[in-house]
Amino acid sequence: MSLINGLPAHILLVHIVVVLVPLTALALVAAAVWPRAANRLGVLLPALALVSLVSVPLTTNAGEWLERHVDDDPLVRKHTELGDGLLPWALGLFVLAVVVWWGARELRRTQSPAGGSSRWSSLPVRIVLGLLSAVIAVGAVVDVYRIGDSGAKAAWHDGFSKTAHAEHDGDDS
């Protein structure tokens, strides 16, 4: 992808990543530590994680296209390098979302009158899933923040004046 309606696709797609990755991380942790949340989210959890996962390489590829169409800048290079590191976090969110969803599904099935016991209901399994989910979620959100911060610095470091223009002083509207 290169352009969407005349704008670089990266500056539009990045909003999907910035919203969906943290939202997926939050939903994953909630579902991993709170079985009722896992039941309520159902298949929405892995679906959300899948959309997040797919959006990362789309945004990264659009960013690489944009990098080739702007002046060489160390801030842009840093942003690009950081951006390349998000895919493993997004993959981790997806894998854990599928595991948590599947586990909640199995637990519901085994708790029905015809079902038996389930390894998913054991406390150690839930603790491990909760801890893994929290680690991956925090890593993903911190990475999104670092990438976004570096991108904002790359885009805006020379793009505005630190002092207001005289014609705008006192006019907050």
Side-chain angles (χ1 to χ4, degrees), residues 64-84:
E64 289 168 356
W65 178 90
L66 181 58
E67 180 185 25
R68 292 188 302 272
H69 291 83
V70 296
D71 293 336
D72 188 38
D73 184 326
L75 293 175
V76 172
R77 282 194 306 274
K78 179 182 178 188
H79 174 65
T80 303
E81 289 168 11
L82 288 172
D84 289 337

Side-chain angles (χ1 to χ4, degrees), residues 151-172:
K153 286 177 180 170
W156 290 98
H157 73 281
D158 286 337
F160 68 97
S161 172
K162 294 187 183 185
T163 59
H165 294 274
E167 63 197 66
H168 294 292
D169 283 346
D171 182 17
D172 293 334

Side-chain angles (χ1 to χ4, degrees), residues 31-104:
V33 300
W34 190 24
R36 180 179 257 163
N39 287 333
R40 288 201 154 191
L41 286 168
V43 75
L44 179 62
L45 178 62
L48 182 63
L50 179 61
V51 173
S52 295
L53 176 61
V54 169
S55 70
V56 170
L58 287 175
T59 304
T60 303
N61 288 339
E64 289 168 356
W65 178 90
L66 181 58
E67 180 185 25
R68 292 188 302 272
H69 291 83
V70 296
D71 293 336
D72 188 38
D73 184 326
L75 293 175
V76 172
R77 282 194 306 274
K78 179 182 178 188
H79 174 65
T80 303
E81 289 168 11
L82 288 172
D84 289 337
L86 185 57
L87 188 58
W89 292 111
L91 181 61
L93 287 173
F94 175 70
V95 169
L96 282 170
V98 169
V99 169
V100 167
W101 166 74
W102 185 263

Side-chain angles (χ1 to χ4, degrees), residues 103-147:
R105 190 172 160 253
E106 285 295 304
L107 186 57
R108 277 192 317 273
R109 187 181 62 79
T110 59
Q111 287 179 341
S112 70
S117 65
S118 171
R119 66 178 179 261
W120 295 102
S121 62
S122 72
L123 188 59
V125 169
R126 289 188 37 220
I127 289 172
V128 168
L129 277 177
L131 288 174
L132 277 173
S133 296
V135 167
I136 295 298
V138 167
V141 170
V142 167
D143 208 30
V144 166
Y145 170 80
R146 291 179 62 225
I147 295 163

Side-chain angles (χ1 to χ4, degrees), residues 8-22 55 59 144:
H10 180 73
I11 63 174
L12 300 172
L13 294 172
V14 72
H15 292 88
I16 296 170
V17 172
V18 167
V19 171
L20 289 187
V21 170
S55 70
T59 304
V144 166

